[in-house]
């Protein structure tokens, strides 16, 4: 017994020590771990670890899975990045949809005044509505006194009732409020009915013209530009891409530019201008601007000589300048219509070569203002038809002028295509983009010579040195050649040397010096009676190197 009491006392002490602990600690029973030691629970615990291992493996797999997903997302972002070609296609499709909507709404032929006319009825409507609202307010003012009198008559018996029976006061108050609210509701209903009747009349008047305007455009309009109908075939896509590139693939800006171009063509009657006959000045204008040959990539080349603006007979007043501008637009339109617009890969643009030799000075402001206006018209209405612009024989005063005011005269996209060259580097600049056989003699080439169709060979003659050219002839024939030394100041000579022993050397052309005033192109020929070769000697005694261009061809002799 004593031992049991001691144990009880010890238990009591333990409990007393546990009292200051928190509620959470008190709620946890002490014998819980003893129950967990039971054999059935142990068997369950043995099975639990196996499940836990599976869960941990799955958890690890899940943890690793998101990492893989992140990697795949990064890879997907790299793959999804569109190429420039895909961006062009997407922009072109959006542009075509906008053009189709504009054609359906007949926005290309819509005159400018209509938007102003549409605003006028909108301004009149509020005025009419204000008048009608004033009428409704007057009616409200007339009706409100009658309503107030009705409310007062109903309130008088309600006020007398409390004197007779006090308990009915509470009931009478809601009745009056209900009656007043009912009267107000009746008044508002009548006013709303009046407003509804008035409003129902006004939309009918405004809706009538809207229905007539929408009923007019039944069929979409047909618009052609540069002789190509819009949205009809692949040629239209090539033209629309030019407008997109001119506006950096901003679809809405390209659409506005296209509408302005169509309007400009209608105002200036471009389609009629193309078929019109050239005037008397056309022969003079053709000396100033003409198309000739192609560049190394196959683009048509158009040459312009600014020195012709010094001709006072042609450009003495504004009327003659406008005649020249109309003729120039006619030439541009004909050249555009002659291009191959069947596919984007076709050569659908030009190379412009502008010669500034003897160009008018900046003192002639009226003339340069006309030139700027003309350049602006071509840039806005013939976008992206220039793949490159070469300015040759540029005087010293134009380069600083261009660097200062070039950003104002032309757009950044146009300036990126411009190449300026002084007189000493003009020929080399042209030959960089155009083969000498395609360049007119006027600009340093051999295009207008006797020999045509053959490729031109270029050679460099070092300072104070001689250079020999050999043209073989294996049988009896007529051998002809063309030669040009850029910069002149060289000596030229030619002779025939037969291959058979005992034959004599024949002098075809004695040595002679070629000056700046002489013909720039040397043309010569020789009838060969036996196998041999023509030896041409170029002697350069100057301190500068010279470039020589030459070509030749053989034809069978008809006199043998």
């Amino acid at each position: 017994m004593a031992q049991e009491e001691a144990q009880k006392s010890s238990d009591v002490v333990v409990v007393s020590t546990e009292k200051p602990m928190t509620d959470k600690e008190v709620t946890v029973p002490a014998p819980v771990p003893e129950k967990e030691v039971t054999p059935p629970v142990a068997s369950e615990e043995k099975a639990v670890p196996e499940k836990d291992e599976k869960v941990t493996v799955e958890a690890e797999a899940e943890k690793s899975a998101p990492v893989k997903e992140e990697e795949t997302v990064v890879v997907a972002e790299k793959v999804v990045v569109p190429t420039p070609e895909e961006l062009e296609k997407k922009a072109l499709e959006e542009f075509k949809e906008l053009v189709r909507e504009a054609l359906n709404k007949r926005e290309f032929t819509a005159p400018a005044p209509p938007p102003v006319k549409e605003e006028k009825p909108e301004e009149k409507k509020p005025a009419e509505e204000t008048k009608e609202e004033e009428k409704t307010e007057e009616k409200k003012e007339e009706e409100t006194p009658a309503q107030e009198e009705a409310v007062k008559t109903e309130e008088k018996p309600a006020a007398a009732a409390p004197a007779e029976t006090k308990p009915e006061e509470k009931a009478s108050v809601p009745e009056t409020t209900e009656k007043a609210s009912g009267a107000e509701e009746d008044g508002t209903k009548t006013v709303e009915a009046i407003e509804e009747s008035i409003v129902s009349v006004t939309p009918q008047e405004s809706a009538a013209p809207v229905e007539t305007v929408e009923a007019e455009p039944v069929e979409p309009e047909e618009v052609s530009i540069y002789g190509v109908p819009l949205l009809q075939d692949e040629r239209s896509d090539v033209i629309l891409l030019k407008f997109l590139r001119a506006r950096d693939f901003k679809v809405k800006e390209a659409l506005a530019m296209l509408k302005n171009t169509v309007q400009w063509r209608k105002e200036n009657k471009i389609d009629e201008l193309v078929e019109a006959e050239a005037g008397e000045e056309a022969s003079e204008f053709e000396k100033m601007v003409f198309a000739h040959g192609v560049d190394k990539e196959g683009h048509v080349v158009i040459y312009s000589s600014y020195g012709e603006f010094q001709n006072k007979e042609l450009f003495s007043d504004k009327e003659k300048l406008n005649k020249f501008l109309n003729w120039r637009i006619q030439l541009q339109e004909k050249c555009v219509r002659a291009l191959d617009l069947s596919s984007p890969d076709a050569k659908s643009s030009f190379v412009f070569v502008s010669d500034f030799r003897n160009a008018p000075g900046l003192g002639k402001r009226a003339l340069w203002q006309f030139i700027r206006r003309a350049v602006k018209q071509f840039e806005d209405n013939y976008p992206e038809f220039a793949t490159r612009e070469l300015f040759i024989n540029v005087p010293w005063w134009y380069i600083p002028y261009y660097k200062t005011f070039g950003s104002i005269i032309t757009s950044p996209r146009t300036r990126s295509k411009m190449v300026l060259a002084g007189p000493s580097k003009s020929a080399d600049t042209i030959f960089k983009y155009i083969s000498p056989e395609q360049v007119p003699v006027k600009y340093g080439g051999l295009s207008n010579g006797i020999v045509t169709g053959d490729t031109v060979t270029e050679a460099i003659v070092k300072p104070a040195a001689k250079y020999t050219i050999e043209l073989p002839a294996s049988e009896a024939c007529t051998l002809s050649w063309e030669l040009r030394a850029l910069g002149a100041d060289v000596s030229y000579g030619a002779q025939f040397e037969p291959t058979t022993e005992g034959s004599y050397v024949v002098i075809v052309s004695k040595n002679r010096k070629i000056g700046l005033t002489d013909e720039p192109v040397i043309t010569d020929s020789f009838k060969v009676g036996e196998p041999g070769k023509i030896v041409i000697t170029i002697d350069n005694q100057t301190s500068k190197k010279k470039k020589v261009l030459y070509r030749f061809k053989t034809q069978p002799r008809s006199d043998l």
Side-chain angles (χ1 to χ4, degrees):
M1 294 294 289
Q3 293 177 355
E4 291 178 357
E5 290 177 358
Q7 288 177 356
K8 289 179 180 178
S9 61
S10 64
D11 293 337
V12 172
V13 173
V14 170
V15 172
S16 62
T17 55
E18 292 175 354
K19 282 180 181 179
M21 296 175 67
T22 58
D23 295 338
K24 292 182 181 179
E25 292 175 349
V26 173
T27 54
V28 177
V32 170
E34 294 179 357
K35 290 181 180 180
E36 291 177 354
V37 181
T38 56
V41 176
S43 62
E44 290 177 359
E45 287 179 354
K46 291 178 181 178
V48 169
E50 295 176 358
K51 294 180 181 179
D52 292 340
E53 290 177 358
K54 294 180 180 178
V55 172
T56 54
V57 172
E58 292 176 356
E60 291 177 357
E62 290 177 356
K63 289 179 180 179
S64 61
V67 177
K68 293 181 180 178
E69 290 179 359
E70 290 178 358
E71 291 177 357
T72 54
V73 168
V74 173
V75 174
E77 288 179 356
K78 291 181 181 178
V79 174
V80 168
V81 173
T83 61
E85 294 178 355
E86 292 176 350
L87 292 174
E88 282 190 7
K89 290 181 181 179
K90 184 178 179 181
L92 179 60
E93 292 300 325
E94 293 178 3
F95 191 25
K96 289 170 71 174
E97 289 179 4
L98 291 179
V99 172
R100 189 175 289 106
E101 291 178 2
L103 291 173
N104 292 333
K105 295 178 182 178
R106 306 184 72 85
E107 294 180 358
F108 287 97
T109 56
V116 178
K117 291 181 180 179
E118 290 177 358
E119 293 178 1
K120 290 181 180 178
E122 290 179 358
E123 295 176 358
K124 291 180 180 179
K125 286 181 182 178
E128 294 175 357
E129 290 178 0
T130 51
K131 291 180 180 179
E132 292 171 356
E133 288 177 0
E134 291 176 359
K135 292 179 181 178
T136 55
E137 289 177 358
E138 291 176 357
K139 291 180 180 179
K140 287 180 183 179
E141 291 176 356
E142 293 175 358
E143 292 174 358
T144 50
Q147 293 175 1
E148 290 176 356
E149 291 177 359
V151 172
K152 289 179 180 178
T153 54
E154 290 175 357
E155 288 178 353
K156 287 178 181 179
E164 297 175 357
T165 55
K166 293 180 181 179
E168 294 179 357
E169 288 178 0
K170 296 180 181 179
S172 63
V173 173
E175 288 177 0
T176 55
T177 54
E178 288 176 0
K179 288 179 182 180
S181 62
E184 291 175 357
E185 289 177 0
D186 293 337
T188 54
K189 287 180 181 179
T190 55
V191 173
E192 289 177 357
I194 293 168
E195 290 178 353
E196 289 177 359
S197 63
I198 293 169
V199 172
S200 62
V201 174
T202 53
Q204 291 177 357
E205 295 176 356
S206 60
V210 173
E211 291 177 358
T212 55
V213 172
E214 292 179 354
E216 287 179 1
V218 179
E219 297 181 357
E221 60 181 336
E222 295 181 0
V223 177
S224 296
I225 185 169
Y226 315 129
V228 177
L230 292 178
L231 303 181
Q232 295 294 327
D233 51 23
E234 293 181 354
R235 297 179 300 167
S236 174
D237 294 350
V238 175
I239 292 173
L240 294 180
L241 276 174
K242 290 182 179 295
F243 283 88
L244 282 172
R245 293 192 184 101
R247 291 296 178 262
D248 296 328
F249 293 93
K250 296 177 182 178
V251 180
K252 292 183 179 180
E253 293 183 8
L255 179 62
M257 185 181 187
L258 179 62
K259 289 180 179 180
N260 293 334
T261 299
V262 173
Q263 187 65 26
W264 175 81
R265 294 176 65 84
K266 289 180 179 179
E267 292 176 357
N268 293 275
K269 300 179 180 179
I270 302 300
D271 294 333
E272 298 177 5
L273 182 63
V274 175
E275 299 177 357
E277 296 182 357
E280 298 178 355
E281 302 86 355
S283 58
E284 297 294 331
F285 292 155
E286 289 174 357
K287 297 178 181 179
M288 181 176 179
V289 183
F290 58 92
H292 186 93
V294 296
D295 71 341
K296 294 180 179 179
E297 296 179 357
H299 301 96
V300 176
V301 183
I302 297 178
Y303 295 86
S304 301
S305 177
Y306 281 76
E308 297 296 329
F309 279 112
Q310 298 281 22
N311 190 340
K312 295 181 180 179
E313 295 180 359
L314 293 177
F315 306 106
S316 58
D317 53 19
K318 291 183 179 180
E319 292 183 2
K320 294 182 179 180
L321 287 173
N322 290 330
K323 285 183 180 180
F324 169 75
L325 181 58
N326 289 334
W327 176 87
R328 181 66 183 85
I329 293 172
Q330 184 185 42
L331 175 65
Q332 181 77 6
E333 188 72 18
K334 289 180 179 180
C335 292
V336 169
R337 297 193 179 199
L339 292 173
D340 183 10
L341 302 173
S342 59
S343 67
D345 298 331
K347 307 304 178 184
S348 59
S349 55
F350 306 98
V351 173
F352 292 95
V353 179
S354 299
D355 185 9
F356 273 68
R357 182 185 283 112
N358 299 325
L362 295 176
K364 297 184 178 180
R365 295 182 180 179
L367 184 59
W368 281 105
Q369 287 177 357
F370 165 78
I371 294 173
R372 292 176 194 172
R373 181 167 61 88
V375 170
K376 182 65 175 174
Q377 285 190 10
F378 282 96
E379 188 175 333
D380 292 341
N381 300 295
Y382 294 93
E384 293 299 310
F385 277 99
T387 186
R388 189 167 286 105
E389 296 186 18
L390 307 180
F391 292 85
I392 60 173
N393 296 315
V394 177
W396 63 269
W397 52 263
Y398 185 81
I399 295 175
Y401 169 78
Y402 170 76
K403 290 180 179 180
T404 305
F405 301 101
S407 59
I408 302 173
I409 299 171
T410 57
S411 64
R413 192 174 183 86
T414 302
R415 291 198 306 274
S416 64
K417 303 175 184 178
M418 297 173 65
V419 180
L420 277 67
S424 61
K425 296 183 179 180
S426 294
D428 293 336
T429 302
I430 293 176
F431 297 150
K432 182 179 179 181
Y433 302 101
I434 309 170
S435 300
E437 61 268 19
Q438 296 288 339
V439 179
V441 173
K442 180 180 180 181
Y443 297 108
L446 298 174
S447 181
N448 294 339
I450 299 173
V451 182
T452 58
D454 296 330
T455 58
V456 175
T457 304
E458 300 181 24
I460 301 297
V461 183
K462 296 179 181 180
K466 291 183 180 181
Y467 186 84
T468 58
I469 302 170
E470 296 182 356
L471 309 178
S474 57
E475 57 184 6
C477 62
T478 300
L479 196 150
S480 56
W481 64 91
E482 288 180 328
L483 184 142
R484 179 169 190 173
L486 299 179
D489 290 338
V490 297
S491 297
Y492 162 80
Q495 61 184 17
F496 176 73
E497 298 179 359
T499 55
T500 58
E501 296 181 0
S503 298
Y504 294 97
V505 176
V506 179
I507 296 175
V508 178
S509 180
K510 295 181 179 180
N511 289 333
R512 60 187 177 91
K513 190 174 182 179
I514 303 172
L516 294 173
T517 58
D518 296 332
E519 287 294 329
V521 179
I522 299 172
T523 59
D524 215 336
S525 62
F526 181 74
K527 293 182 178 180
V528 179
E530 57 181 333
K533 59 182 179 181
I534 296 290
V535 179
I536 300 173
T537 303
I538 304 295
D539 187 4
N540 179 19
Q541 297 299 323
T542 64
S543 59
K544 297 180 180 179
K545 63 180 181 180
K546 301 290 183 180
K547 178 177 285 190
V548 177
L549 309 175
Y550 68 93
R551 61 180 173 180
F552 70 98
K553 69 175 182 179
T554 58
Q555 294 178 337
R557 292 178 61 177
S558 59
D559 56 345
L560 294 178

